[in-house]
Amino acid sequence: MSPALTTPVVIEHLRDALGIGTAVPRLTWRTETDEPDWTQSAHQIRVTGPDGRVLTDTGRVPSAESVLVPWPGPPLASRQRATVSVRVWGGARDEPADWSAPVAVETGLLHPGDWIARPVTPDTSAPQGPLPVALLKKGFTVTKPVAAARLYSTAYGVYEAELNGRRIGDEVLEPGWTSYHHRLRYRTHDVTGLVRPGENVIGALLGEGWYTGRLGWDGGRRARYGPHRALLAQLELRHTDGSTTTVATDGTWHWTTGPLLRSELYDGEEYDARRERPGWSSPGHDAHDWRSVLELPFPEAELVAPTGPPTRRTETVAVRAVHTTPSGRTVLDFGQNLVGRLRIRVSGPAGHTVTLRHAEVLEGGELARRPLRGAAATDTYTLRGGPEPETYEPRFTFHGFRYAEVDGWPGPLDPACVEAVVLHTDLERTGWFESSDPLLNRLHENVVHSLRGNFLDLPTDCPQRDERLGWTGDIAVFAPTAAFLHDCSGMLTGWLRDLAAEQLARPDRSVPLVVPDILDPPMADGAHALWGDAAVLVPWALYRASGDLQLLRTQLPSMTAWLAKVAERIEAGGGLWRDPGQLGDWLDPAAPPDDPAAARTDPDLVATAYAVHAADLVAEACRLLDEKDEAAHLTALAARWRAAFTDEFVTPAGRLTSDSQTAYALALRFGLLTDERRRRAAGQRLAHLVRRAGFRIATGFAGTPLICDALCDAGAPQLAHRMLAERHCPSWLYPVTMGATTVWERWDSLLPDGTVNPGQMTSFNHYALGSVADWMHRTVAGLAPAEPGWRRIRIAPRPGGTLAHARATHRTPYGITEAGWRIEEGRLVVEAVVPPGTRAEITLPDTGETWERGSGRHAFSVPYAAPPWPPSPIGHPFVPREPCDCGTPEEEAP
């Protein structure tokens, strides 16, 4: 048996702890051991300074805690660097593990007074059209040896910094998109290795990005946050003699333009390589035509350090096929709908232009660009000419696409000269699923790809058309799935702080439909159920996944303010939430293409149901945070709203006034039916509706995350399996049979005849309806937290359908856990992996037997007879699974 090994400490939710924004960061570590039933009995944390001097040593602390453990010493000061190591005791013999590898942590600029830099801009007026990317720079002289150098930088817009001709960092589209009037994110870079004795130059490319670039549909609007792009940068040099030198943005900087004639998020980039300025950010460059910048006042917004990872290039994808369209155009197929841009390698004469157009699907063999609406999604590259091939990748734009049309390529096009560069927030993968059905596996992979494509700095609705906004309703329903698949706590924590800032700045404290909020009236006004409930549902999902009670504490003012707004609306409605502006069960498949809110379920029923659910969750959050009075108040509100719901929407026989899948799913999942007879009747009616629909889906945003769980609550798990396996439209697998590689916005974004849905909202990369993956993890495979943070694990698989096996894996804060099952020779074999320091409740299907087990690998085998497959309605037979090309396999679980 090998000794226990303590993994390196994780600081907060960050893999890189340079420039953190808190003086008292919390610490997390895992223990790796093959000793069965190992538990931690104590820990010791040691904090040392850069000189090796011990700043804090806790000694042995009796404790089983290893996740988000409070900082053990005095608060850190701005710019302070320390190194953290930990060792633990545990196991049957209570032996100490070796010390973990040391991890460095360094604070950023924690106080406004730490900044001497001022924003500088090349702009003198608000943009009336696309602006060229600006080049900004300043020279400085280093006369003394440098021990360490840090660059603290951000921008109004997007930027890339350079020092002495070298790119700083590998982030893309920095500083991302925050609610700029409230919070402006800066980043810290260690640039010690880029500083040289003597003459130096620091510079940056500055683009419009979300700050002054066009945002919104129907033409959108520019300069929503202000008239000026700007760079804010502070380079601090610490010399070996203890002195410091600071080079900061101010009125002494200069600017010019270069080859990037425009670079827009929606429309793409225009690059003329003949206008390049080689060596512009290096000493000795001729700068006679550079102009002085304009210095702006210091930002009123709070300057904040990142809480999650940046957007990065995460992979490249090769061309999978080359098509010649009916009109004679050349289209490249990358085999996967992705988010990013192209990188080309091309040779040709100076002045020759190559044009790259992007789209998600083909229609009639041609690039289907109508779903992009007003987004041109077009990049052009004009060659500088010369003997060597030229490489080009856009700088400050991104596209959602599977297909790219190439126009004007000089000579024959070698597909090896083009590749797609994938961009997304560089989240750590934490969840996996696989089964015996390749179509189901492809569905799950589609969910993963849609998450990645829409988690580009913030959780967007879609990545391709003239929108790409942080719609609150989408992430409200998808957050549990996201939190299983990737460690998104840090990223979504930052987004939730923006949500709270936007919400609490509104006079009526309502939650915006999108965060950051750029909508114009009338969409900007009013409170919307489910969308506004993101203020509750997202932090609750993150708490369930991480156990981070501080996150709930931080968001509680936002959560309670939202419930106060809901209570105001319900009181005005006579005990129910009555509002003609509700979005309801958005994108119910029965809604016409031009009216996605025209669902089968009464919007008032949806709104009131979600109000009850939100009140229940916030009451529980208040209890956890010892806010007893508020918890009691919200519990009483929920009870009154629940009774009003029953009186208005439920008959004595248990039927709902909206006789729809969504209505019954809401009633069952949110505990809105207070007596067993009505619950049983509602469950039976839901099962009837599902059978009557031929097992096709009949839910939109509000009902889709709940329908499978509701069927299980109704004692009909096989109907849920049957719905999941359905391949006719509308269903989860219909898009897979049509070649989808991401989740669609509509159940029928692509119609059975291969034409694009005529609606104006027809995205082919939209994760909300992929929320079923949460049920696949928790129920099909049977893996879920039994308490927040995965300290206790529930393993309770529900085999069904035609599946012969299924498995889910999750990287918890304590290590890898796994639940899987397979049917072989009339027996069901259930296997589980429980990480050190945790315990699992393992429940076998049918028998209901439950065991509790500690860390290690466990297996159970019981006799098993597959339940009967629900009969299909006449004229609507089940289509058996056929061999298919389901694309590349998903990334393997560890």
Side-chain angles (χ1 to χ4, degrees), residues 57 279 428 639 690 762:
D57 192 325
E428 180 186 15
V690 168
T762 309

Side-chain angles (χ1 to χ4, degrees), residues 206-237:
L206 179 64
E208 295 190 84
W210 296 273
Y211 196 88
T212 61
R214 179 167 70 93
L215 288 178
W217 56 89
D218 292 337
R221 183 155 60 87
R222 295 187 177 277
R224 286 184 179 268
Y225 291 98
H228 305 298
R229 300 169 296 172
L231 175 70
L232 180 69
Q234 187 162 309
L235 174 63
E236 298 186 355
L237 311 180

